[in-house]
Amino acid sequence: MKATLLTQLKKTLTLWAKGAVTSVISLVGTSLPNRCLMCHQSMLLPDSGICPACLSSTIYQQAVCLGCGRGMQVQARYCGSCVTKSPLLVIAPCSYHQGLGRWVGAIKYQGQLAGLEVLSRALIERVWELESAGILVLPQVLVPVPLHSKRLRKRGFNQAWLIAVAIGKQLNIPVSSLGLERCVDTKPQAELTGKQRRSNLSNAFTLEGELAYQRIALIDDVVTTGTTATEIASLFEAKHVHVQVWCLARAEAPGLLD
């Protein structure tokens, strides 16, 4: 009897402690300043990171080709230039060059995660929009672009994993590396030209083991030339797996959205 009472008391105290911690976190959260990263105006919870006004003005305002990022009159999978080549599908909610690029970059380079949730949500809405239009088929699993172990230790986190987890929870899609690894500690792509990027990433990734999936989405923070995505996609495609790329922003070539 005494043991049973002690057990019940411990359970009661544990529940009380959890409730107290939740209340404190909620109180602290509501008392801290909640301002938009872009316009610095105050926001009401649950909004955070980037306010709805700034987000709606910086996501795509027109249909874009999922191959090259070119602006189009009507949303389709590819523009006229890409339809015969069928390049990798790249799904993003915005252009890196039209306001949100700074905050996408801040996630990786400054560990500024305040905008991650709202940008991930914008990507999810973009995915839903394309799926409902019959342009996109949802993948079976999300695969974050891996970091080399040295880079991961230095940075402390992989932004692609954080994005994938945030998206996976909302879409109920599992997240897995599927045996994909970055085996070469390459130079940062941002410092290189297009030709140097391709050379830099040659044989930089490995993919081991059998795969139980036929459709994957490769997750990254930003797609620029698409070199990283293309290099990884070639490994999956060799195993007859269809690859699409999801990212928070796309840095398309100059003039494509003019």
Side-chain angles (χ1 to χ4, degrees):
M1 178 66 73
K2 185 176 181 180
T4 302
L5 289 174
L6 285 174
T7 300
Q8 292 178 342
L9 180 60
K10 286 180 180 179
K11 289 182 179 180
T12 302
L13 289 174
T14 299
L15 291 172
W16 178 86
K18 288 182 178 179
V21 169
T22 301
S23 298
V24 169
I25 292 174
S26 178
L27 179 61
V28 171
T30 55
S31 63
L32 290 174
N34 183 28
R35 296 184 182 276
C36 174
L37 292 170
M38 299 183 70
C39 68
H40 307 296
Q41 294 296 310
S42 295
M43 293 186 292
L44 297 176
L45 293 174
D47 291 333
S48 65
I50 298 170
C51 72
C54 286
L55 183 67
S56 64
S57 66
T58 47
I59 58 176
Y60 283 130
Q61 305 296 309
Q62 63 184 115
V64 296
C65 172
L66 304 184
C68 65
R70 182 187 305 275
M72 302 192 298
Q73 293 298 315
V74 178
Q75 185 64 64
R77 184 169 293 180
Y78 295 123
C79 65
S81 299
C82 289
V83 71
T84 57
K85 297 177 288 186
S86 299
L88 273 176
L89 296 176
V90 178
I91 290 83
C94 67
S95 166
Y96 189 86
H97 306 303
Q98 296 187 335
L100 289 173
R102 173 184 175 185
W103 306 112
V104 174
I107 295 171
K108 175 164 56 179
Y109 297 116
Q110 301 168 22
Q112 170 58 273
L113 304 181
L116 189 145
E117 183 178 349
V118 66
L119 291 172
S120 297
R121 194 161 59 246
L123 173 55
I124 290 169
E125 290 177 359
R126 174 69 167 157
V127 167
W128 280 337
E129 174 190 339
L130 294 172
E131 184 200 20
S132 64
I135 296 171
L136 177 71
V137 177
L138 288 180
Q140 297 163 297
V141 64
L142 307 180
V143 182
V145 171
L147 289 178
H148 189 270
S149 57
K150 289 183 179 178
R151 188 77 55 82
L152 182 59
R153 284 195 298 269
K154 182 178 180 181
R155 186 176 297 166
F157 65 94
N158 180 355
Q159 70 283 351
W161 265 101
L162 298 179
I163 296 165
V165 169
I167 295 170
K169 286 181 179 178
Q170 294 295 317
L171 295 179
N172 196 28
I173 300 176
V175 177
S176 174
S177 68
L178 294 186
L180 177 67
E181 294 185 2
R182 196 170 197 137
C183 56
V184 179
D185 187 17
T186 56
K187 295 179 181 179
Q189 291 287 90
E191 302 173 1
L192 307 176
T193 64
K195 183 177 181 179
Q196 290 172 329
R197 286 171 185 244
R198 289 187 290 273
S199 176
N200 186 49
L201 287 178
S202 179
N203 300 315
F205 300 93
T206 59
L207 181 62
E208 303 294 340
E210 296 298 320
L211 301 177
Y213 300 99
Q214 294 76 48
R215 304 185 311 278
I216 73 161
L218 191 62
I219 308 298
D220 210 353
D221 55 342
V222 60
V223 169
T224 307
T225 62
T227 306
T228 301
T230 300
E231 184 72 18
I232 295 174
S234 67
L235 299 177
F236 282 100
E237 289 169 349
K239 294 176 179 286
H240 309 290
V241 176
H242 179 267
V243 180
Q244 53 186 284
V245 186
W246 295 3
C247 57
L248 299 185
R250 179 170 195 165
E252 71 288 328
L256 289 184
L257 291 179
D258 292 346

